[in-house]
Amino acid sequence: MSNKHIHDIQKHFEKNNRIKELPAHSSKVHSVAWNCDGRKLASGSFDKTVCIFSLERDTRLGKENTFRGHSDSVDQLCWHPSNPDHLATASGDKSVRMWDCRSSKSVATVNTKGENINICWSPNGHTIAVGNKEDLVTFIDVRSHKVKVEEQFKFEVNEISWNNEGDLFFLTSGNGSIHILNYPDLKLQYVLNAHPANCICIEFDPKGKYFATGSADALVSLWDMNELVCVRTLSRLDWPVRTLSFSHDGKLLASASEDLCIDIAETETGEKVTEVPCESPTFTVAWHPKRYLLAFACDDKLKYERERDAGTVKVFGLPNDS
């Protein structure tokens, strides 16, 4: 990307850097995600609930629904890749729930063997993978709501994801490596030694060119998807990188940690485009699928009751004059 393009994006954020705060939960927010058409935003919380917000006229966000059913913390959630109404949640209550936003009840509950901490949906929408605290990954058939296969790993599994084509399955590990398995046979293909410390999160560029990883060494690594080589690292954060998100066009990469800002970099060069100020650590970020709107949630406390979590969802990138 040329300097002019970076300048243009910086100019965009000078005019569109308002942050909207959305009261959502009574406790810490663990996960935020936009649906495939960008009209809904979901959040999952320690308070065991899921909140759904609707985006209207490109700038108006309002709370639409609260889903209840889990009996423990909702640690991560993900939307169906092509159905804007279908959502899946992973919980510490040893279950995965599937929801239809046209109804306020879960349409299916699948019991699993452990406390679930991460979840992802296959690109074709047929399978959900969920990982638990014991490093067991369970693959669930979305149509039958049955467990297809379970895979126990002998290392700490942090985050899991399919590639964009759905023929490879990636895991980040506690020893800093990325394990890449064929899918669906789950045979190990590659182990990439990505970081000297715990490799925490992984995210794929929507255009299929790159993937990024975040680590306890406070580095973000950008990898060429075809060559499986690291093309650059970003080192502006000082704390372990907890969460990553690529923009819809793949041009921007947001990364966050316990630093009191979210770093937004230009993907091709790693150059800083802007940063989002935060009052506390940030553990989840998600770019809108069509626009430069970034949803995120921090470990905020209520201003007047410092011992209580705020449970707020935030969206950056709204027009300053709206």
Side-chain angles (χ1 to χ4, degrees), residues 226-241:
N226 293 321
E227 302 293 331
L228 296 180
V229 294
C230 180
V231 292
R232 74 186 50 85
T233 58
L234 310 180
S235 57
R236 283 186 290 271
L237 297 174
D238 295 323
W239 291 85
V241 180

Side-chain angles (χ1 to χ4, degrees), residues 2 31 43 62 91 103 123 152 166 197 217 221 232 301:
S2 70
S31 183
S43 59
S91 171
S103 156
Q152 178 68 58
D217 60 13
S221 294
R232 74 186 50 85
K301 303 293 181 186

Side-chain angles (χ1 to χ4, degrees), residues 124-140:
N124 64 11
H126 296 167
T127 308
I128 289 170
V130 59
N132 69 23
K133 288 183 177 178
E134 286 76 49
D135 310 312
L136 178 76
V137 178
T138 301
F139 294 86
I140 298 166

Side-chain angles (χ1 to χ4, degrees), residues 261-279:
C261 68
I262 300 168
D263 183 80
I264 297 180
E266 195 273 305
T267 304
E268 287 292 343
T269 63
E271 186 174 330
K272 180 177 174 178
V273 172
T274 189
E275 66 178 39
V276 184
C278 306
E279 294 178 3

Side-chain angles (χ1 to χ4, degrees), residues 47 66 97-98 101 110 130-131 169 173 189 212 217 225 232 235 261 288 290 307:
D47 71 2
T66 300
R97 283 182 179 250
M98 296 173 219
C101 286
V110 180
V130 59
F169 192 75
S173 80
Q189 284 296 293
D217 60 13
M225 188 63 228
R232 74 186 50 85
S235 57
C261 68
H288 188 276
K290 295 177 181 176
E307 71 280 2

Side-chain angles (χ1 to χ4, degrees), residues 18 26 61 95 107 155 171 173 220 251 264 291 296 299:
R18 187 166 65 86
S26 61
L61 272 156
S95 79
V107 294
F155 54 85
L171 309 97
S173 80
V220 175
K251 291 179 179 177
I264 297 180
R291 301 175 53 215
F296 64 102
D299 196 9

Side-chain angles (χ1 to χ4, degrees), residues 166-202:
D167 60 350
L168 295 173
F169 192 75
F170 287 64
L171 309 97
T172 61
S173 80
N175 58 23
S177 58
I178 305 164
H179 293 244
I180 306 174
L181 314 179
N182 270 344
Y183 188 82
D185 63 22
L186 299 177
K187 288 198 168 50
L188 182 65
Q189 284 296 293
Y190 310 100
V191 178
L192 305 179
N193 294 314
H195 294 270
N198 194 341
C199 189
I200 298 170
C201 52
I202 186 166

Side-chain angles (χ1 to χ4, degrees), residues 266-315:
E266 195 273 305
T267 304
E268 287 292 343
T269 63
E271 186 174 330
K272 180 177 174 178
V273 172
T274 189
E275 66 178 39
V276 184
C278 306
E279 294 178 3
S280 51
T282 304
F283 295 104
T284 178
V285 296
W287 281 111
H288 188 276
K290 295 177 181 176
R291 301 175 53 215
Y292 288 153
L293 286 178
L294 185 73
F296 64 102
C298 303
D299 196 9
D300 288 342
K301 303 293 181 186
L302 288 170
K303 288 182 171 61
Y304 304 108
E305 297 180 63
R306 284 293 173 187
E307 71 280 2
R308 277 192 56 207
D309 294 324
T312 306
V313 173
K314 301 177 183 181
V315 177

